Amino acid sequence: AQTVTQSQPEMSVQEAETVTLSCTYDTSESDYYLFWYKQPPSRQMILVIRQEAYKQQNATENRFSVNFQKAAKSFSLKISDSQLGDAAMYFCAYRSAFQGGSEKLVFGKGTKLTVNP
Amino acid sequence: DTGVSQDPRHKITKRGQNVTFRCDPISEHNRLYWYRQTLGQGPEFLTYFQNEAQLEKSRLLSDRFSAERPKGSFSTLEIQRTEQGDSAMYLCASSLGLLNEQFFGPGTRLTVL
């Protein structure tokens, strides 16, 4: 079974600075997707960024980028120029890409990010 | 708005009662997922549908839980004989296909007294 581990229950960053959230995962599959989801307080979860395991290039979405290390099974999220609106719970998630396999997302426990003005 | 909607947003019930939640996916999304999220944890998968077919169920889904998606549109999740351990946020998500993003609804927060 796949597992996702987020070792930082809480992180804080000063506005306009950069923060990196860590995620490791365990799988025996070779093809999969990795995601970072953001869950603001009392609001619904939204996708921040996604990475296909077969792509060597790290995904980037505006101020959000990932460092995907397949051999190390590591998938960290870097938030540059942090904004107050970035404050939220961040969840790392895994999904198999195997056709006919499970479509479920497997989530880590989350990291609560606080942005200080 | 064409996002995923869930009803009710909050439900308080007494132990032993039955509860039913509804999820309306984004129009034309053929896949619908249910997750449960307890305090301090990430969401855990419960079950998912492709159109009206229930294709996967988690071992978390005990016999007291049942989900349906008649006609491949909205879905209901029923919990019979609720227990205090069922208190959680129940999240619904939908997607257009296997390779597409899962869009989440706001969730239904269940409190069992």
Side-chain angles (χ1 to χ4, degrees), chain B:
Chain B
D1 180 52
T2 58
V4 178
S5 61
Q6 293 187 245
D7 184 70
R9 295 290 305 275
H10 302 274
K11 178 70 177 179
I12 300 174
T13 191
K14 293 182 178 179
R15 189 175 52 185
Q17 298 294 305
N18 298 344
V19 294
T20 300
F21 310 140
R22 176 178 171 128
C23 170
D24 286 89
I26 294 172
S27 180
E28 298 181 355
H29 277 195
N30 61 353
R31 285 164 160 82
L32 187 147
Y33 309 81
W34 285 100
Y35 295 85
R36 181 173 69 185
Q37 185 177 19
T38 53
L39 202 60
Q41 302 293 320
E44 296 174 293
F45 171 77
L46 293 177
T47 188
Y48 93 92
F49 294 84
Q50 182 177 334
N51 299 312
E52 65 274 12
Q54 189 174 18
L55 296 187
E56 186 177 356
K57 292 171 61 174
S58 163
R59 282 171 288 183
L60 291 175
L61 217 62
S62 75
D63 291 345
R64 296 184 298 105
F65 288 71
S66 63
E68 294 183 342
R69 192 183 181 198
K71 301 179 183 178
S73 56
F74 71 91
S75 176
T76 58
L77 178 67
E78 180 183 16
I79 309 174
Q80 296 182 328
R81 306 180 302 281
T82 52
E83 302 173 355
Q84 288 186 326
D86 297 332
S87 295
M89 177 75 85
Y90 290 83
L91 298 171
C92 176
S94 70
S95 74
L96 189 55
L98 171 64
L99 302 180
N100 296 89
E101 173 187 351
Q102 291 185 22
F103 290 85
F104 282 81
T108 294
R109 181 168 295 284
L110 172 67
T111 302
V112 182
L113 302 176

Side-chain angles (χ1 to χ4, degrees), chain A residues 80-107:
Chain A
S80 303
D81 186 24
S82 297
Q83 300 175 0
L84 295 177
D86 294 334
M89 284 292 292
Y90 285 82
F91 292 97
C92 180
Y94 169 102
R95 198 191 80 200
S96 172
F98 173 62
Q99 285 279 354
S102 176
E103 295 188 20
K104 67 183 179 185
L105 290 168
V106 178
F107 288 88

Side-chain angles (χ1 to χ4, degrees), chain A residues 18-99:
Chain A
T18 296
V19 64
T20 298
L21 308 184
S22 301
C23 172
T24 59
Y25 59 94
D26 189 31
T27 184
S28 59
E29 298 178 330
S30 59
D31 200 11
Y32 48 86
Y33 300 96
L34 295 165
F35 306 86
W36 279 99
Y37 277 88
K38 171 185 177 181
Q39 188 176 40
S42 302
R43 295 181 61 187
Q44 59 210 75
M45 197 168 310
I46 58 174
L47 179 66
V48 174
I49 198 165
R50 125 183 187 163
Q51 175 80 42
E52 289 86 354
Y54 67 87
K55 289 185 178 179
Q56 292 187 338
Q57 186 172 5
N58 289 324
T60 299
E61 288 287 343
N62 301 314
R63 298 183 296 106
F64 298 86
S65 62
V66 299
N67 183 3
F68 173 49
Q69 301 289 327
K70 191 173 184 179
K73 295 181 181 175
S74 170
F75 183 62
S76 61
L77 174 70
K78 185 171 81 172
I79 306 173
S80 303
D81 186 24
S82 297
Q83 300 175 0
L84 295 177
D86 294 334
M89 284 292 292
Y90 285 82
F91 292 97
C92 180
Y94 169 102
R95 198 191 80 200
S96 172
F98 173 62
Q99 285 279 354

